[in-house]
Amino acid sequence: MADQLILIIEDNERNLKLVRDVLQFSGFRTAEARTAEDGLALASASPPTAAIPVVAVTALAMKDDRERVLRAGFDGYLEKPISVRELPGQVRAFLTAAELPDDR
């Protein structure tokens, strides 16, 4: 699973650098975008993208936020602040889950 390409979309430069550095240190390759539009352009330039898990990393932490994010089509949800120790494993878990057949 090392050397997997991870697209990071983050409008805060410090948060972007933190996530990028943690993931690169753990063996992932990264592509970065500052806006959703730029992220979509990057993703569509590298098809196929249909099977790629999309995970929201957000400061939203209200009771219904997780369900709202999942209903919006995200495959997962992580709360900020992220744990730099846990993030690589969390990313690997989402990638592994995406590789499993739909009839799990």
Side-chain angles (χ1 to χ4, degrees):
M1 195 154 308
D3 203 39
Q4 289 271 351
L5 178 62
I6 307 298
L7 172 59
I8 305 164
I9 303 171
E10 174 61 65
D11 62 348
N12 180 290
E13 186 64 36
R14 291 174 64 185
N15 290 343
L16 177 66
K17 181 180 179 345
L18 174 65
V19 172
R20 178 189 62 223
D21 291 352
V22 168
L23 292 178
Q24 287 180 353
F25 182 79
S26 298
F28 294 100
R29 294 178 301 122
T30 62
E32 298 95 27
R34 298 292 303 267
T35 67
E37 293 80 14
D38 290 344
L40 289 171
L42 274 173
S44 65
S46 303
T49 59
I52 296 173
V54 180
V55 179
V57 181
T58 179
L60 297 176
M62 300 303 287
K63 179 181 171 194
D64 296 326
D65 288 334
R66 179 182 208 89
E67 290 76 24
R68 188 175 13 262
V69 166
L70 296 175
R71 278 195 313 268
F74 286 86
D75 298 298
Y77 173 95
L78 298 174
E79 291 179 17
K80 289 180 182 177
I82 63 165
S83 165
V84 296
R85 288 186 176 168
E86 294 175 9
L87 182 64
Q90 292 168 320
V91 169
R92 284 186 193 94
F94 285 115
L95 293 171
T96 299
E99 293 173 354
L100 296 174
D102 286 338
D103 61 322
R104 321 169 219 199

